Amino acid sequence: MGVRSKLRTSHLVIVGGILALFLAAGWFDQPRPVVAFLEQKGLDLRFRLRGERPPTGQVVVAGIETRGIEAYGRWPWPRSVFAQLLVRLKDYGAQTVVFDLLFPEPEENRTRPVLESLQQSFVQLGLKNQDFPNQIFHDEMDQLLAESDNDALFSEALAWSGNGILGTAFEGIRDDRDFSASRSLVPTKKTRLLEPVPDLKNAARGLGFVNIFPDSDGTIRRVRLVNKDHLCLALAGAAHYLDTVVRAGDGRVVLTPRLPSADPDLPDQGILVPDAARSERRLATDGHGNVRLNFYGLDPGFDRVSIADIIDGAISPDRLAGKVVIVGAMATGIGDIWPTPLTSEIPGVFIQATLLDNILENRLLQTLPHMRWVKTGSILVLVLLPLGFMMLFTPMASLAAGVVLMGTYAAGVQYLFQTRDLVWPLMLPLGAGLTTVAALLITNFAAEIRQHRWVKTSFSRYLSPAVIDILIRHPDQLTLGGEEKELTVLMADIRNFTTLSESLSPSGLIELLNRYLGTLTDVILENGGTLDKYMGDAIMAFFGAPLDDTRHPQKACLTAIRMFERLEQLQAEWERQWVPILSLGMGLSTGQMVVGNLGSRRRFDYSVIGDNVNLASRLEGLCKIYGVKIIIPEQTRMHLDGAFVCRELDRVRVKGRQAPVTIYELIGQKKMGDPVFTWISHFENGLACYRNQDFGTAIRHFEDVLGAKPKDRPARLFITRCRTLIQAPETCSPLIETDEWDGVWTFTEK
């Protein structure tokens, strides 16, 4: 449409329904499958658009991979390997060592039972004595027994290094709702915590659970930091590396620096440093203890080293000094493979490394504390603004503005994600906005279709299909209810219709009349006219509405001429069929009149009313008196610009109108090569003499007209009028209504 849309009740109902639906989903934060899926994919898209970022470089991954398997055999390895690893990492200067591994049971040792059986056999056989060689042998046996206890070696290494963090795991959890979305998970009969064997647990510097659970689509995006009194593995490692105390509550996890115990033999105490709030690290959670991981890219980007290379001393010291080393499986076939927003498969140790690195640099994805209000506000803005656009602009412009608004919102969300690591709600508000734009667009198009149908239904009776199509494209040109404008009205009536109707049967008369009216109506519509009504045997039409047309007088006159041409063709056909011949008279009038839908809501007509409409009717009636086909007034002739041949007929006062009107006979179009109508000059000279009261000279000029055109009714009428004025002027009452002679003939009947 070319105009802006109007606010309708349907718009308010639609917007209200959309608001209710999306506000309820956002406020109650229900895990609707579709909404949750879209939000998850929206976050994934933000990661992909952002591209790769480098980690801090503080975290190094020591992997269980091909090089280590070649050196120490297939997995699982003896725990003595990890004891050697701890010793070597301590030498390298690694500050914290995090094991993304579980040690819930003592290691199975096949060598120790053999050595113990051998030692017991020596005693039973009496071979154990105090001689020196025998004593050396038994000392070596004791040493082999000690070295075969890998758990003891590992625990001693843990205690000696003082920087080892071991993994625990909650067992018996069925899905992520049991863990990640719950407030807490206390070990019960159904759910238990798998911890390292006691010796390892007591020797470790800290413990952390390794559980990570995917979202509903199977992708890892969040991790639980704290569960009751238990820390996740990465948080435990970060707390040790930063030498902090972990406190949880009010939707936050806080890492606060602490002072070491005054007694070096006692473990560090959670003594807060003065003004610690200045240096404490605050990690915002989603209210359930979960945080969103800030992934770095398709390649996590962490420095990776082989455990075998570390033990062999083949690593440059600066790669490990002062770093957090996280130990985990990287080899194919060991398992612990997860999908993330950026890749379909990644070892779990890299997820732990990502979380640990996020915590160290405080680069976790941020969520706003009052997310419900943020969602509500975003939904309101993206729903109500398109409604405002619809009221201000055209439908297509409002659609464009709505699309720009949605694109701006999405770009703003991406900007906050890239520059502030802030997860602003995207899919739910954007879905509400797009739904609103689509719903309003569909509603407007439906209303437009209904309007098109209404225009076609309402105006198909009056207008040509071409005009209706223009109205549909430009409905602003149609003002309903009535407006005043300059138009040209055409009145056409059959001559002697009453006499004709007496000579035909009712059915024959109807058939003849329908064909006559249909033929003339086609001419009106073909020339851009608007059919007003049929009045028995008469037709009323007007030009210049509903579409503005400055050439409406020319079109009306051309239509009148074409109607006679078409009627002559029809009469020739009727004459062959012995059908009575119809004659026609037309009156046209140009001037100000009121046009519009007139009537009631249930029944109306698109019509015109006004003094100039009545004038056209009076002029049509004068055609019988003057014996001409078409009569137009001076106001119409002034608009013809010499494109038509006209003859001035008279100055008259018609019934119901006091002002005199100069009337003309419309003869035809002026074309190149047309003969000069000399008789028109004779007639105009006669009119001039008549108005100067030189009636004798006027009679001679009118007789000259008859010489060229013997059957000219206007010339005969004026000859009769002049002779009467010469012989008995008192009988010409239509000319002597005033004291002064003005030559105006007054008609007292229609």
Side-chain angles (χ1 to χ4, degrees):
M1 293 191 297
V3 296
R4 66 187 183 188
S5 303
K6 296 181 179 179
L7 185 64
R8 301 182 179 90
T9 304
S10 58
H11 294 143
L12 296 178
V13 171
I14 289 172
V15 170
I18 293 173
L19 279 176
L21 177 64
F22 282 89
L23 286 178
W27 183 261
F28 295 106
D29 199 22
Q30 294 297 318
R32 309 291 182 187
V34 176
V35 176
F37 176 81
L38 292 176
E39 289 290 355
Q40 293 162 2
K41 297 308 177 184
L43 180 60
D44 297 351
L45 179 61
R46 276 174 268 185
F47 274 116
R48 293 189 176 92
L49 292 176
R50 188 184 70 178
E52 296 191 0
R53 287 184 172 183
T56 64
Q58 300 178 75
V59 179
V60 178
V61 177
I64 300 168
E65 36 62 73
T66 305
R67 168 82 170 81
I69 292 174
E70 291 174 353
Y72 308 115
R74 63 181 184 179
W75 183 259
W77 294 342
R79 290 174 187 173
S80 58
V81 174
F82 300 114
Q84 296 178 60
L85 176 65
L86 279 171
V87 172
R88 182 60 74 176
L89 288 174
K90 187 70 172 180
D91 293 339
Y92 273 118
Q95 187 167 333
T96 302
V97 181
V98 179
F99 287 89
D100 184 21
L101 302 169
L102 298 177
F103 306 101
E105 298 175 351
E107 181 180 295
E108 182 181 357
N109 193 331
R110 298 181 180 180
T111 305
R112 187 178 182 85
V114 174
L115 292 175
E116 289 178 344
S117 176
L118 180 60
Q119 191 176 50
Q120 186 178 5
S121 297
F122 265 73
V123 173
Q124 291 175 354
L125 294 173
L127 298 177
K128 186 174 183 181
N129 51 51
Q130 296 300 321
D131 61 351
F132 183 72
N134 201 355
Q135 186 63 42
I136 292 175
F137 174 76
H138 285 289
D139 289 343
E140 290 179 351
M141 288 287 291
D142 291 338
Q143 184 178 353
L144 288 173
L145 282 171
E147 291 177 354
S148 66
D149 190 352
N150 291 333
D151 283 341
L153 292 174
F154 191 19
S155 66
E156 289 176 7
L158 284 169
W160 173 78
S161 64
N163 63 359
I165 309 297
L166 299 184
T168 64
F170 288 98
E171 187 179 51
I173 305 169
R174 289 175 297 177
D175 55 44
D176 63 325
R177 290 174 298 177
D178 293 337
F179 183 74
S180 296
S182 62
R183 293 189 177 274
S184 64
L185 179 64
V186 181
T188 63
K189 292 181 179 179
K190 293 184 179 180
T191 304
R192 64 191 182 97
L193 180 65
L194 296 179
E195 295 182 322
V197 294
D199 288 344
L200 298 181
K201 175 183 176 183
N202 296 331
R205 188 62 178 176
L207 302 175
F209 58 81
V210 299
N211 301 80
I212 52 177
F213 291 90
D215 286 331
S216 57
D217 62 345
T219 303
I220 300 295
R221 297 184 183 88
R222 55 186 178 145
V223 175
R224 184 74 174 272
L225 286 183
V226 179
N227 180 57
K228 203 65 175 176
D229 298 326
H230 304 281
L231 308 182
C232 75
L233 182 65
L235 181 58
H240 178 270
Y241 182 78
L242 299 171
D243 196 18
T244 55
V245 176
V246 178
R247 296 181 301 168
D250 298 327
R252 291 190 177 187
V253 174
V254 182
L255 285 74
T256 306
R258 61 183 174 181
L259 288 175
S261 171
D263 187 349
D265 295 329
L266 297 176
D268 292 350
Q269 304 296 317
I271 303 174
L272 298 184
V273 177
D275 297 329
R278 297 180 182 176
S279 58
E280 66 184 8
R281 198 177 302 261
R282 297 174 178 267
L283 309 176
T285 68
D286 62 1
H288 303 307
N290 299 312
V291 292
R292 294 181 183 272
L293 292 168
N294 195 347
F295 293 98
Y296 295 122
L298 290 172
D299 183 346
F302 295 103
D303 188 11
R304 312 171 195 185
V305 295
S306 169
I307 292 176
D309 289 339
I310 295 174
I311 295 175
D312 292 344
I315 302 297
S316 174
D318 59 352
R319 293 179 66 181
L320 301 174
K323 304 292 181 66
V324 181
V325 178
I326 182 166
V327 181
M330 290 195 305
T332 303
I334 297 179
D336 196 28
I337 301 296
W338 302 93
T340 69
L342 294 169
T343 180
S344 59
E345 292 185 353
I346 188 172
V349 67
F350 287 110
I351 296 176
Q352 297 288 356
T354 300
L355 177 57
L356 205 160
D357 197 76
N358 288 169
I359 295 173
L360 294 182
E361 195 64 16
N362 204 9
R363 293 171 69 175
L364 286 164
L365 295 183
Q366 303 297 310
T367 55
L368 298 171
H370 304 290
M371 185 58 71
R372 287 182 176 179
W373 290 107
V374 173
K375 285 183 180 179
T376 298
S378 301
I379 290 171
L380 285 173
V381 169
L382 294 189
V383 169
L384 295 181
L385 278 183
L387 183 64
F389 293 154
M390 187 204 66
M391 297 171 60
L392 295 174
F393 309 124
T394 63
M396 294 310 297
S398 63
L399 172 63
V403 171
V404 171
L405 173 64
M406 302 307 145
T408 302
Y409 181 82
V413 169
Q414 183 65 24
Y415 174 79
L416 291 175
F417 183 77
Q418 293 196 186
T419 60
R420 298 289 187 271
D421 292 327
L422 179 62
V423 182
W424 192 277
L426 175 64
M427 301 308 294
L428 197 64
L430 196 62
L434 291 175
T435 301
T436 302
V437 171
L440 292 178
L441 185 65
I442 292 172
T443 302
N444 285 336
F445 278 138
E448 187 175 355
I449 291 173
R450 288 195 298 270
Q451 184 182 30
H452 290 179
R453 290 176 179 172
W454 178 83
V455 169
K456 284 189 175 183
T457 302
S458 301
F459 292 93
S460 59
R461 296 175 293 169
Y462 330 120
L463 306 174
S464 67
V467 176
I468 292 176
D469 290 338
I470 296 175
L471 268 183
I472 290 174
R473 292 195 300 270
H474 305 283
D476 51 307
Q477 298 193 31
L478 174 60
T479 302
L480 302 179
E483 63 174 331
E484 184 176 355
K485 61 192 307 184
E486 185 185 70
L487 305 173
T488 299
V489 179
L490 181 152
M491 294 281 189
D493 190 21
I494 298 176
R495 295 288 170 258
N496 303 316
F497 182 74
T498 302
T499 303
L500 177 65
S501 62
E502 293 175 352
S503 63
L504 295 173
S505 65
S507 60
L509 179 64
I510 293 298
E511 182 181 355
L512 180 65
L513 188 60
N514 286 344
R515 190 168 184 188
Y516 155 77
L517 294 176
T519 300
L520 299 186
T521 299
D522 290 343
V523 178
I524 293 171
L525 299 182
E526 288 169 4
N527 289 275
T530 300
L531 178 66
D532 189 308
K533 60 177 69 72
Y534 299 119
M535 298 171 290
D537 60 324
I539 297 177
M540 175 178 173
F542 54 89
F543 296 78
L547 298 179
D548 293 333
D549 188 351
T550 57
R551 299 185 67 256
H552 55 85
Q554 295 95 317
K555 287 190 175 182
C557 292
L558 180 62
T559 300
I561 294 171
R562 294 284 167 78
M563 289 171 71
F564 271 102
E565 292 174 354
R566 192 73 59 84
L567 185 61
E568 288 176 359
Q569 297 173 3
L570 197 60
Q571 286 175 340
E573 181 181 343
W574 286 344
E575 188 174 5
R576 291 192 298 270
Q577 299 174 358
W578 300 95
V579 176
I581 301 302
L582 300 178
S583 60
L584 194 64
M586 294 186 197
L588 283 73
S589 176
T590 300
Q592 293 294 319
M593 57 195 73
V594 176
V595 59
N597 274 323
L598 308 177
S600 66
R601 291 181 60 186
R602 293 182 177 275
R603 179 68 175 91
F604 63 85
D605 285 314
Y606 189 70
S607 184
V608 291
I609 56 174
D611 180 60
N612 286 293
V613 178
N614 297 331
L615 176 60
S617 177
R618 301 295 183 265
L619 297 183
E620 179 273 320
L622 294 182
C623 289
K624 303 180 208 177
I625 296 174
Y626 288 91
V628 296
K629 298 177 180 179
I630 308 169
I631 295 180
I632 62 174
E634 174 70 19
Q635 183 68 13
T636 301
R637 191 199 68 81
M638 290 171 56
H639 289 81
L640 300 184
D641 299 327
F644 294 84
V645 178
C646 299
R647 171 174 59 161
E648 183 179 352
L649 287 178
D650 202 354
R651 283 177 58 81
V652 300
R653 290 187 182 89
V654 297
K655 181 177 175 59
R657 187 184 177 105
Q658 292 300 318
V661 180
T662 302
I663 60 176
Y664 296 80
E665 177 190 7
L666 179 64
I667 298 174
Q669 284 183 278
K670 186 177 290 186
K671 301 178 182 179
M672 294 294 295
D674 281 350
V676 178
F677 296 100
T678 55
W679 56 270
I680 294 179
S681 300
H682 293 312
F683 191 88
E684 290 175 347
N685 292 334
L687 274 181
C689 294
Y690 166 76
R691 287 168 182 165
N692 290 327
Q693 301 185 47
D694 185 358
F695 302 121
T697 305
I699 290 173
R700 288 195 296 272
H701 283 296
F702 290 130
E703 287 177 343
D704 290 339
V705 172
L706 292 176
K709 192 179 180 183
K711 295 183 179 181
D712 187 62
R713 177 82 67 83
R716 292 179 181 275
L717 184 149
F718 272 98
I719 290 174
T720 302
R721 190 183 295 178
C722 288
R723 288 173 178 172
T724 302
L725 289 171
I726 293 174
Q727 298 173 4
E730 69 279 358
T731 61
C732 291
S733 59
L735 288 172
I736 55 177
E737 287 188 350
T738 61
D739 296 336
E740 296 183 1
W741 165 264
D742 59 5
V744 177
W745 189 272
T746 301
F747 290 94
T748 58
E749 296 181 355
K750 297 181 181 180

